[in-house]
Amino acid sequence: MTARRLLSAGAVATALGILVAATAPVLGTPGASRTRPQEFFGGLVTLVGWALLAWGIHRYGRADDGDR
């Protein structure tokens, strides 16, 4: 996978993770039984996105101009 694709995948995963966590129901409201699992899953997806971003930044900085 190229550095640019890693950066793109990291950005998309981070945005999706934040979206999932942000749309979790508030505790004490209907549907609150899924609040913790939804926030946990969103957090995991966000962390995977950050890892992809970090790896993409690392690869982008070490790549030749033709490999970017």
Side-chain angles (χ1 to χ4, degrees):
M1 206 173 209
T2 65
R4 287 185 186 206
R5 287 186 188 217
L6 282 170
L7 290 170
S8 297
V12 168
T14 300
L16 287 176
I18 291 171
L19 176 78
V20 168
T23 57
V26 177
L27 288 173
T29 61
S33 63
R34 70 176 202 265
T35 298
R36 295 222 187 259
Q38 188 170 345
E39 288 176 345
F40 180 75
F41 178 72
L44 282 179
V45 173
T46 301
L47 288 176
V48 168
W50 288 350
L52 289 171
L53 282 171
W55 187 247
I57 290 167
H58 170 74
R59 296 249 335 243
Y60 191 81
R62 297 179 62 74
D64 294 336
D65 286 336
D67 293 337
R68 291 183 183 177

